[in-house]
Amino acid sequence: MTAFRIAHHAASPAPTPKAKAVKSKGYLAFLHELPCAVSGVYGVEAAHLSMAAPKYGHWGRGKGSKAPDRWALPLSPAEHARQHNIGEEAFWRAAGINPHVLALTIFGLWSDMGDDAQPFAAAIVNQHLAASNRLRERDSL
């Protein structure tokens, strides 16, 4: 019987890619139609994730650059400012949201369905809000 050895580097993620961040005005416009991922209010900004998560294919961002638009999430101006004030990791942990999974989910819906994905993406955001008891009442939307 022959034994096989798995190379150590096979389990480690590849080094940070050098490709330029992909930008999509269409996707960012789509995000602006969604509720805030943390508060549920409308009138959002596209907040790009900077923190790396190689297991999701996000290696962070280079100095002086933004992450690709696939890593943007809808945040109200107030929540976006709070995210910058307390730090990304603490902000998302306090919200009880895995931002990488949410970003990939919303981007995947848009990639598959274009602007027709808006009600589905809004429903995903609302499911996250409901799970953390932050879903807004219909009258307050």
Side-chain angles (χ1 to χ4, degrees), residues 4-102:
F4 291 96
R5 184 171 168 221
I6 298 174
H8 175 69
H9 64 82
S12 301
T16 304
K18 302 291 185 222
K20 186 177 178 182
V22 176
K23 300 296 177 184
S24 171
K25 289 181 183 175
Y27 181 63
L28 296 182
F30 171 77
L31 282 182
H32 285 93
E33 300 299 319
L34 298 178
C36 173
V38 173
S39 68
V41 302
Y42 282 83
V44 299
E45 301 172 344
H48 288 79
L49 296 172
S50 296
M51 62 184 192
K55 73 180 184 178
Y56 298 112
H58 186 237
W59 285 269
R61 62 183 182 94
K63 198 174 200 176
S65 66
K66 285 192 175 180
D69 287 341
R70 89 171 44 233
W71 301 113
L73 287 168
L75 288 181
S76 70
E79 293 295 343
H80 197 179
R82 193 166 75 85
Q83 174 203 11
H84 285 291
N85 288 337
I86 70 171
E88 257 185 285
E89 194 170 340
F91 175 82
W92 291 110
R93 191 177 328 107
I97 294 171
N98 180 327
H100 294 93
V101 170
L102 184 57

Side-chain angles (χ1 to χ4, degrees), residues 115-132:
D115 291 339
D116 292 338
Q118 192 279 337
F120 300 97
I124 296 289
V125 169
N126 286 328
Q127 288 172 12
H128 280 85
L129 293 169
S132 59

